Amino acid sequence: MAIDFSGQTALITGASTGIGAVYANAFAARGAHLVLVARSRDKLDGLATKIRTAHGVRVDVLAADLSTPDGCATVTALEQDIDILINNAGFGMHGDVADADAARLADQVRLNCLAVVQLTARFLPGMIARRRGTVVNIASTAAFQPLPYMAVYGATKAFVLSFTEALWAEARPAGVRVLAMCPGATETPFFEIVGTDDAAVGSRRAPEQVVATTFRALERGRPSVVDGRRNALLAGLVGLLPRRLVISAAERTIRPKPAQVR
């Protein structure tokens, strides 16, 4: 049975492009008002104008960098009721931890983990009190096994998956839906930020497919879902194989390719 989101307010992070923008359009099409959060005010304003014109809902925009304490504080200071929280903002890095910028790694943990926890802790109590609400945290198929060369990213997504599934059990008695959405490689600017396509495993799915999978899983009351049958099969398989084999296979798959000399 389809969930009625009309008149509710959805806060979506990482909303300016990719999966976040598709979530924004999808919830607006279902009658929800929006609070869109991302770093780029210009992109948010452009998206907000299109959504208002297409769907006639209220759209507020908030430019904030959630990898910083000030950015998180800007969002948690919102006084309006939030009925739907989509923690979508996140990024990854590709390469050895030993060669990485330590400050950038810390930003990754703050955005992918700490911001998810802070925003959830801020807006979930109101949902519990109203006995209505939805929280969707974007994990990844990266959550199901360690990822050499994307070690911090994989670990953050494992955190999101575990945190969200536990939260599902806590919030369910109050009628609040909680879902860990686990996409695989998706056609978004994610790999532009990573800086390479070496981290992509398998064919990429469309953001619209990820969002459609989300709504089906919410309607079924699932704690987590993997987008795409092939991705779901692989995610399930890694739990049955010896850990050392799984890590070795991931290392070979994601290992940075040597630069080609022309």
Side-chain angles (χ1 to χ4, degrees):
M1 180 178 179
I3 304 169
D4 182 11
F5 293 107
S6 58
Q8 298 186 38
T9 299
L11 189 154
I12 304 171
T13 71
S16 59
T17 60
I19 296 172
V22 176
Y23 273 122
N25 275 286
F27 277 104
R30 289 163 173 78
H33 304 296
L34 305 176
V35 179
L36 305 181
V37 180
R39 291 180 300 171
S40 172
R41 179 65 185 243
D42 290 343
K43 290 180 180 179
L44 288 175
D45 284 339
L47 178 63
T49 298
K50 292 178 181 177
I51 290 176
R52 291 187 194 106
T53 301
H55 303 293
V57 297
R58 185 183 71 250
V59 185
D60 298 321
V61 301
L62 188 60
D65 183 352
L66 294 174
S67 69
T68 68
D70 287 346
C72 272
T74 297
V75 180
T76 57
L78 287 172
E79 294 184 359
Q80 67 194 98
D81 290 338
I82 298 298
D83 306 292
I84 305 157
L85 174 62
I86 312 296
N87 279 309
N88 169 70
F91 75 93
M93 296 167 62
H94 189 232
D96 289 33
V97 171
D99 298 330
D101 179 342
R104 189 66 170 155
L105 292 176
D107 287 344
Q108 191 177 180
V109 174
R110 277 192 291 267
L111 179 59
N112 294 7
C113 297
L114 185 56
V116 171
V117 173
Q118 289 182 308
L119 268 60
T120 301
R122 166 64 181 86
F123 297 112
L124 181 61
M127 299 180 196
I128 298 290
R130 295 188 295 275
R131 302 192 68 80
R132 181 189 74 176
T134 302
V135 177
V136 177
N137 294 331
I138 306 303
S140 169
T141 53
F144 294 93
Q145 69 286 303
L147 289 184
Y149 312 115
M150 294 188 73
V152 173
Y153 178 76
T156 64
K157 292 306 180 178
F159 174 92
V160 172
L161 177 59
S162 178
F163 169 70
T164 307
E165 289 185 326
L167 198 67
W168 173 86
E170 294 180 11
R172 192 181 186 195
V176 176
R177 296 178 179 86
V178 178
L179 175 70
M181 177 68 232
C182 302
T186 309
E187 284 291 350
T188 72
F190 174 84
F191 293 102
E192 296 176 16
I193 298 171
V194 171
T196 180
D197 284 336
D198 294 351
V201 178
S203 58
R204 300 186 192 182
R205 285 172 60 82
E208 290 79 7
Q209 292 174 300
V210 174
V211 173
T213 298
T214 300
F215 283 110
R216 288 195 298 270
L218 286 172
E219 289 162 6
R220 295 169 183 170
R222 298 184 60 176
S224 61
V225 66
V226 176
D227 177 58
R229 290 183 181 178
R230 182 177 181 274
N231 290 332
L233 178 62
L234 291 174
L237 182 62
V238 298
L240 303 176
L241 296 174
R243 203 64 170 167
R244 183 169 178 173
L245 177 62
V246 169
I247 297 169
S248 296
E251 191 277 333
R252 289 193 301 272
T253 302
I254 303 176
R255 181 189 301 155
K257 294 179 175 61
Q260 294 184 349
V261 179
R262 293 176 180 263

